């Protein structure tokens, strides 16, 4: 089975192209932190190339940007090619089956903050027969 499940942040804005046959393809790179720090105590990240095709690629190109957190589920693909110097080069990428946008949309203020706007007035009201209580009143 070939399945990769990743969570990371985009290192730059995604690039969307169209193939000669008309299919959309979006490429982007995410930084994924390793579970454990290095021996020197530093957090180490891996930078992984992601490819999303067709409608998924169009959505990624439209809604993602540098710094956004995403979850990617897909397959690991490797390719080889001969470089100009005659050496064989290997290229690894994740072909996405699913991409979930984990960062909320940026605010209209343009501040770059990913904080979620929450308006208490527009929050759903407690259904009839239930009483709304504060978290401080919970026994756990």
């Amino acid at each position: 089975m070939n399945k990769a499940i990743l969570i990371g942040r985009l290192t730059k804005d995604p690039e969307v192209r169209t193939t000669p046959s008309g299919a959309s393809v979006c490429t982007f790179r995410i930084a994924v932190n390793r579970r454990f720090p290095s021996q020197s105590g530093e957090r180490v990240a891996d930078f992984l190339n992601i490819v999303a095709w067709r409608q998924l690629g169009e959505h990624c190109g439209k809604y993602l940007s540098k710094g956004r957190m995403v979850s990617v589920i897909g397959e690991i693909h490797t390719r080889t090619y001969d470089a100009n110097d005659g050496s064989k080069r290997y290229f690894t990428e994740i072909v996405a089956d699913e991409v979930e946008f984990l960062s909320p949309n940026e605010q209209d203020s343009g501040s770059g903050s990913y904080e979620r706007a929450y308006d208490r007035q527009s929050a759903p009201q407690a259904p009839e027969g239930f009483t709304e209580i504060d978290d401080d009143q919970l026994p756990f």
Side-chain angles (χ1 to χ4, degrees):
M1 178 188 311
N2 181 356
K3 189 166 197 158
I5 302 171
L6 307 164
I7 295 177
R9 291 193 182 276
L10 272 74
T11 60
K12 65 179 186 174
D13 289 340
E15 297 177 15
V16 180
R17 296 181 308 279
T18 305
T19 65
S21 64
S24 296
V25 59
C26 178
T27 57
F28 55 95
R29 180 177 281 195
I30 62 173
V32 178
N33 288 327
R34 292 187 183 176
R35 283 181 62 178
F36 302 106
S38 68
Q39 288 182 347
S40 63
E42 294 181 28
R43 281 305 265 188
V44 178
D46 292 302
F47 297 87
L48 304 167
N49 297 309
I50 311 295
V51 178
W53 288 90
R54 297 173 189 76
Q55 187 176 13
L56 179 60
E58 292 172 9
H59 287 299
C60 288
K62 185 175 180 180
Y63 297 111
L64 291 178
S65 59
K66 179 180 178 177
R68 298 285 305 268
M69 174 96 51
V70 293
S71 166
V72 177
I73 299 174
E75 294 182 347
I76 301 170
H77 288 201
T78 57
R79 294 184 277 142
T80 61
Y81 64 94
D82 294 323
N84 292 337
D85 62 1
S87 64
K88 186 169 275 209
R89 303 282 172 96
Y90 296 90
F91 188 77
T92 302
E93 61 193 5
I94 311 303
V95 177
D97 294 324
E98 301 174 38
V99 176
E100 186 172 340
F101 308 149
L102 301 178
S103 295
N105 289 335
E106 292 185 32
Q107 302 301 314
D108 293 338
S109 66
S111 65
S113 170
Y114 291 125
E115 294 179 18
R116 184 182 303 252
Y118 183 72
D119 183 6
R120 203 102 164 105
Q121 305 266 336
S122 64
Q125 300 299 317
E128 190 174 315
F130 288 90
T131 305
E132 189 170 319
I133 60 171
D134 290 331
D135 288 346
D136 295 335
Q137 296 174 334
L138 296 173
F140 48 89

